[in-house]
Short mmCIF file of all heavy atoms in Angstrom, two decimals:
data_model
loop_
_atom_site.label_atom_id
_atom_site.label_comp_id
_atom_site.label_asym_id
_atom_site.label_seq_id
_atom_site.Cartn_x
_atom_site.Cartn_y
_atom_site.Cartn_z
N LYS P 53 17.70 -33.30 24.18
CA LYS P 53 18.05 -32.88 25.54
C LYS P 53 18.28 -31.38 25.60
O LYS P 53 17.88 -30.71 26.57
CB LYS P 53 19.31 -33.64 25.99
CG LYS P 53 19.69 -33.35 27.45
CD LYS P 53 18.60 -33.78 28.41
CE LYS P 53 18.98 -33.50 29.85
NZ LYS P 53 17.90 -33.85 30.80
N MET P 54 18.92 -30.82 24.57
CA MET P 54 19.10 -29.36 24.50
C MET P 54 17.75 -28.65 24.52
O MET P 54 17.56 -27.65 25.23
CB MET P 54 19.83 -28.95 23.21
CG MET P 54 21.28 -29.34 23.11
SD MET P 54 21.95 -28.64 21.58
CE MET P 54 23.18 -29.88 21.16
N LEU P 55 16.79 -29.18 23.74
CA LEU P 55 15.46 -28.57 23.66
C LEU P 55 14.75 -28.63 25.01
O LEU P 55 14.12 -27.64 25.43
CB LEU P 55 14.63 -29.28 22.60
CG LEU P 55 15.07 -29.08 21.15
CD1 LEU P 55 14.31 -30.03 20.22
CD2 LEU P 55 14.86 -27.65 20.71
N SER P 56 14.87 -29.75 25.71
CA SER P 56 14.21 -29.87 27.02
C SER P 56 14.81 -28.91 28.04
O SER P 56 14.12 -28.37 28.89
CB SER P 56 14.29 -31.31 27.52
OG SER P 56 15.61 -31.65 27.86
N ILE P 57 16.13 -28.70 27.94
CA ILE P 57 16.81 -27.77 28.86
C ILE P 57 16.39 -26.33 28.56
O ILE P 57 16.18 -25.54 29.47
CB ILE P 57 18.33 -27.93 28.75
CG1 ILE P 57 18.75 -29.26 29.41
CG2 ILE P 57 19.08 -26.76 29.39
CD1 ILE P 57 20.22 -29.61 29.21
N LEU P 58 16.24 -26.02 27.28
CA LEU P 58 15.86 -24.65 26.91
C LEU P 58 14.44 -24.30 27.33
O LEU P 58 14.16 -23.14 27.64
CB LEU P 58 15.99 -24.48 25.38
CG LEU P 58 17.41 -24.39 24.83
CD1 LEU P 58 17.39 -24.47 23.32
CD2 LEU P 58 18.10 -23.11 25.28
N ILE P 59 13.53 -25.28 27.34
CA ILE P 59 12.13 -24.99 27.61
C ILE P 59 11.74 -25.23 29.06
O ILE P 59 10.67 -24.79 29.51
CB ILE P 59 11.22 -25.83 26.68
CG1 ILE P 59 9.87 -25.16 26.47
CG2 ILE P 59 11.07 -27.26 27.20
CD1 ILE P 59 9.03 -25.75 25.37
N SER P 60 12.60 -25.90 29.84
CA SER P 60 12.28 -26.16 31.25
C SER P 60 13.33 -25.53 32.15
O SER P 60 14.42 -25.17 31.70
CB SER P 60 12.22 -27.67 31.51
OG SER P 60 13.51 -28.25 31.37
N ARG P 61 13.00 -25.43 33.41
CA ARG P 61 13.93 -24.88 34.39
C ARG P 61 14.90 -25.92 34.91
O ARG P 61 15.90 -25.57 35.54
CB ARG P 61 13.14 -24.27 35.55
CG ARG P 61 12.33 -23.05 35.15
CD ARG P 61 11.61 -22.47 36.35
NE ARG P 61 10.80 -21.30 35.97
CZ ARG P 61 10.07 -20.59 36.83
NH1 ARG P 61 10.01 -20.96 38.11
NH2 ARG P 61 9.38 -19.54 36.42
N GLN P 62 14.62 -27.18 34.70
CA GLN P 62 15.48 -28.26 35.19
C GLN P 62 16.60 -28.53 34.18
O GLN P 62 16.41 -29.23 33.21
CB GLN P 62 14.67 -29.53 35.43
CG GLN P 62 15.46 -30.61 36.15
CD GLN P 62 14.63 -31.85 36.41
OE1 GLN P 62 13.49 -31.92 35.99
NE2 GLN P 62 15.20 -32.81 37.11
N ARG P 63 17.75 -27.96 34.46
CA ARG P 63 18.88 -28.10 33.55
C ARG P 63 19.87 -29.13 34.10
O ARG P 63 21.03 -28.83 34.38
CB ARG P 63 19.56 -26.75 33.35
CG ARG P 63 18.62 -25.70 32.78
CD ARG P 63 19.31 -24.43 32.44
NE ARG P 63 18.40 -23.52 31.76
CZ ARG P 63 18.76 -22.36 31.22
NH1 ARG P 63 20.02 -21.97 31.30
NH2 ARG P 63 17.86 -21.59 30.63
N THR P 64 19.39 -30.35 34.25
CA THR P 64 20.22 -31.41 34.80
C THR P 64 20.18 -32.64 33.91
O THR P 64 19.27 -32.82 33.10
CB THR P 64 19.73 -31.82 36.22
OG1 THR P 64 18.38 -32.27 36.11
CG2 THR P 64 19.80 -30.65 37.18
N ILE P 65 21.18 -33.49 34.11
CA ILE P 65 21.24 -34.78 33.43
C ILE P 65 21.90 -35.76 34.40
O ILE P 65 22.83 -35.41 35.12
CB ILE P 65 22.02 -34.68 32.10
CG1 ILE P 65 21.95 -36.03 31.33
CG2 ILE P 65 23.47 -34.28 32.32
CD1 ILE P 65 22.48 -35.93 29.90
N SER P 66 21.41 -36.98 34.44
CA SER P 66 21.99 -37.98 35.34
C SER P 66 23.37 -38.40 34.85
O SER P 66 23.72 -38.19 33.68
CB SER P 66 21.08 -39.20 35.43
OG SER P 66 21.04 -39.87 34.18
N MET P 67 24.15 -38.99 35.74
CA MET P 67 25.48 -39.46 35.36
C MET P 67 25.41 -40.53 34.28
O MET P 67 26.17 -40.51 33.30
CB MET P 67 26.21 -40.01 36.60
CG MET P 67 27.67 -40.34 36.36
SD MET P 67 28.62 -38.87 35.92
CE MET P 67 30.05 -39.61 35.14
N VAL P 68 24.47 -41.46 34.44
CA VAL P 68 24.29 -42.51 33.42
C VAL P 68 23.87 -41.88 32.10
O VAL P 68 24.37 -42.24 31.02
CB VAL P 68 23.25 -43.55 33.88
CG1 VAL P 68 22.95 -44.54 32.76
CG2 VAL P 68 23.74 -44.29 35.12
N GLY P 69 22.92 -40.93 32.16
CA GLY P 69 22.47 -40.24 30.96
C GLY P 69 23.59 -39.49 30.28
O GLY P 69 23.70 -39.46 29.04
N CYS P 70 24.47 -38.89 31.09
CA CYS P 70 25.61 -38.14 30.56
C CYS P 70 26.58 -39.07 29.83
O CYS P 70 27.04 -38.77 28.73
CB CYS P 70 26.31 -37.42 31.71
SG CYS P 70 27.58 -36.26 31.18
N LEU P 71 26.88 -40.21 30.46
CA LEU P 71 27.79 -41.19 29.85
C LEU P 71 27.21 -41.75 28.56
O LEU P 71 27.92 -41.92 27.57
CB LEU P 71 28.09 -42.31 30.84
CG LEU P 71 28.95 -41.96 32.04
CD1 LEU P 71 28.98 -43.12 33.04
CD2 LEU P 71 30.37 -41.61 31.62
N LEU P 72 25.90 -42.06 28.58
CA LEU P 72 25.26 -42.59 27.37
C LEU P 72 25.25 -41.55 26.24
O LEU P 72 25.46 -41.90 25.09
CB LEU P 72 23.83 -43.02 27.70
CG LEU P 72 23.68 -44.32 28.51
CD1 LEU P 72 22.22 -44.53 28.91
CD2 LEU P 72 24.18 -45.52 27.72
N GLN P 73 25.01 -40.29 26.62
CA GLN P 73 25.01 -39.23 25.60
C GLN P 73 26.38 -39.10 24.95
O GLN P 73 26.49 -39.02 23.73
CB GLN P 73 24.60 -37.89 26.22
CG GLN P 73 24.38 -36.80 25.18
CD GLN P 73 23.97 -35.48 25.81
OE1 GLN P 73 24.72 -34.88 26.56
NE2 GLN P 73 22.76 -35.04 25.49
N MET P 74 27.43 -39.12 25.77
CA MET P 74 28.80 -39.04 25.25
C MET P 74 29.09 -40.24 24.34
O MET P 74 29.65 -40.08 23.26
CB MET P 74 29.81 -38.99 26.39
CG MET P 74 29.93 -37.65 27.07
SD MET P 74 31.41 -37.52 28.12
CE MET P 74 31.06 -38.77 29.36
N TYR P 75 28.72 -41.41 24.82
CA TYR P 75 29.03 -42.63 24.06
C TYR P 75 28.34 -42.66 22.70
O TYR P 75 28.98 -42.87 21.67
CB TYR P 75 28.64 -43.87 24.87
CG TYR P 75 28.82 -45.15 24.11
CD1 TYR P 75 30.09 -45.62 23.78
CD2 TYR P 75 27.71 -45.90 23.68
CE1 TYR P 75 30.26 -46.79 23.05
CE2 TYR P 75 27.89 -47.08 22.97
CZ TYR P 75 29.15 -47.52 22.65
OH TYR P 75 29.31 -48.66 21.92
N PHE P 76 27.03 -42.44 22.68
CA PHE P 76 26.29 -42.52 21.42
C PHE P 76 26.64 -41.37 20.48
O PHE P 76 26.77 -41.57 19.26
CB PHE P 76 24.78 -42.56 21.69
CG PHE P 76 24.30 -43.90 22.13
CD1 PHE P 76 23.93 -44.13 23.45
CD2 PHE P 76 24.22 -44.95 21.25
CE1 PHE P 76 23.50 -45.38 23.87
CE2 PHE P 76 23.79 -46.21 21.64
CZ PHE P 76 23.43 -46.42 22.96
N PHE P 77 26.82 -40.17 21.03
CA PHE P 77 27.15 -39.01 20.19
C PHE P 77 28.49 -39.22 19.47
O PHE P 77 28.59 -39.08 18.24
CB PHE P 77 27.19 -37.74 21.03
CG PHE P 77 27.52 -36.50 20.26
CD1 PHE P 77 26.64 -35.98 19.33
CD2 PHE P 77 28.73 -35.84 20.44
CE1 PHE P 77 26.94 -34.83 18.60
CE2 PHE P 77 29.04 -34.70 19.73
CZ PHE P 77 28.15 -34.19 18.81
N HIS P 78 29.51 -39.62 20.23
CA HIS P 78 30.83 -39.77 19.63
C HIS P 78 30.94 -41.07 18.84
O HIS P 78 31.68 -41.13 17.84
CB HIS P 78 31.90 -39.69 20.71
CG HIS P 78 32.13 -38.30 21.21
ND1 HIS P 78 32.83 -37.35 20.49
CD2 HIS P 78 31.74 -37.69 22.36
CE1 HIS P 78 32.87 -36.22 21.16
NE2 HIS P 78 32.20 -36.39 22.29
N SER P 79 30.24 -42.13 19.24
CA SER P 79 30.28 -43.37 18.47
C SER P 79 29.62 -43.19 17.11
O SER P 79 30.16 -43.64 16.09
CB SER P 79 29.56 -44.50 19.25
OG SER P 79 30.26 -44.82 20.42
N LEU P 80 28.48 -42.52 17.09
CA LEU P 80 27.83 -42.22 15.82
C LEU P 80 28.67 -41.26 14.97
O LEU P 80 28.74 -41.40 13.76
CB LEU P 80 26.44 -41.63 16.08
CG LEU P 80 25.40 -42.63 16.60
CD1 LEU P 80 24.23 -41.90 17.28
CD2 LEU P 80 24.86 -43.51 15.47
N GLY P 81 29.32 -40.30 15.63
CA GLY P 81 30.22 -39.39 14.92
C GLY P 81 31.40 -40.13 14.31
O GLY P 81 31.80 -39.87 13.16
N ASN P 82 31.98 -41.06 15.08
CA ASN P 82 33.08 -41.88 14.55
C ASN P 82 32.62 -42.71 13.36
O ASN P 82 33.33 -42.80 12.35
CB ASN P 82 33.60 -42.83 15.64
CG ASN P 82 34.42 -42.13 16.70
OD1 ASN P 82 34.91 -41.03 16.47
ND2 ASN P 82 34.55 -42.74 17.86
N SER P 83 31.43 -43.29 13.46
CA SER P 83 30.89 -44.10 12.36
C SER P 83 30.70 -43.24 11.11
O SER P 83 31.02 -43.68 10.00
CB SER P 83 29.55 -44.73 12.77
OG SER P 83 29.71 -45.58 13.90
N GLU P 84 30.21 -42.02 11.30
CA GLU P 84 30.02 -41.12 10.14
C GLU P 84 31.36 -40.74 9.53
O GLU P 84 31.49 -40.66 8.31
CB GLU P 84 29.26 -39.87 10.59
CG GLU P 84 27.79 -40.12 10.85
CD GLU P 84 27.00 -38.83 10.99
OE1 GLU P 84 27.60 -37.74 10.88
OE2 GLU P 84 25.78 -38.90 11.23
N GLY P 85 32.35 -40.47 10.39
CA GLY P 85 33.68 -40.11 9.87
C GLY P 85 34.29 -41.23 9.04
O GLY P 85 34.86 -40.98 7.96
N ILE P 86 34.17 -42.48 9.53
CA ILE P 86 34.70 -43.62 8.79
C ILE P 86 33.92 -43.80 7.49
O ILE P 86 34.49 -44.10 6.43
CB ILE P 86 34.61 -44.91 9.65
CG1 ILE P 86 35.46 -44.74 10.91
CG2 ILE P 86 35.09 -46.11 8.85
CD1 ILE P 86 35.19 -45.81 11.96
N LEU P 87 32.60 -43.60 7.55
CA LEU P 87 31.76 -43.75 6.36
C LEU P 87 32.10 -42.69 5.32
O LEU P 87 32.13 -42.97 4.11
CB LEU P 87 30.29 -43.69 6.73
CG LEU P 87 29.28 -44.16 5.68
CD1 LEU P 87 29.52 -45.64 5.33
CD2 LEU P 87 27.85 -43.97 6.15
N LEU P 88 32.35 -41.47 5.75
CA LEU P 88 32.76 -40.40 4.82
C LEU P 88 34.08 -40.74 4.14
O LEU P 88 34.27 -40.46 2.95
CB LEU P 88 32.89 -39.06 5.56
CG LEU P 88 31.58 -38.35 5.91
CD1 LEU P 88 31.86 -37.16 6.83
CD2 LEU P 88 30.87 -37.85 4.65
N THR P 89 34.99 -41.35 4.89
CA THR P 89 36.26 -41.78 4.30
C THR P 89 36.03 -42.89 3.27
O THR P 89 36.62 -42.89 2.19
CB THR P 89 37.21 -42.30 5.41
OG1 THR P 89 37.33 -41.31 6.44
CG2 THR P 89 38.59 -42.60 4.86
N THR P 90 35.13 -43.82 3.61
CA THR P 90 34.76 -44.90 2.68
C THR P 90 34.14 -44.33 1.41
O THR P 90 34.42 -44.80 0.30
CB THR P 90 33.77 -45.87 3.36
OG1 THR P 90 34.36 -46.37 4.56
CG2 THR P 90 33.44 -47.02 2.44
#
Side-chain angles (χ1 to χ4, degrees):
K53 184 61 180 177
M54 290 185 212
L55 292 170
S56 69
I57 287 173
L58 287 170
I59 205 168
S60 67
R61 293 182 180 180
Q62 189 178 4
R63 301 187 174 187
T64 60
I65 186 170
S66 67
M67 188 62 200
V68 173
C70 189
L71 290 171
L72 286 173
Q73 189 180 63
M74 283 194 296
Y75 174 69
F76 282 106
F77 180 69
H78 286 285
S79 294
L80 288 160
N82 286 340
S83 300
E84 287 192 1
I86 299 167
L87 194 61
L88 283 171
T89 307
T90 303

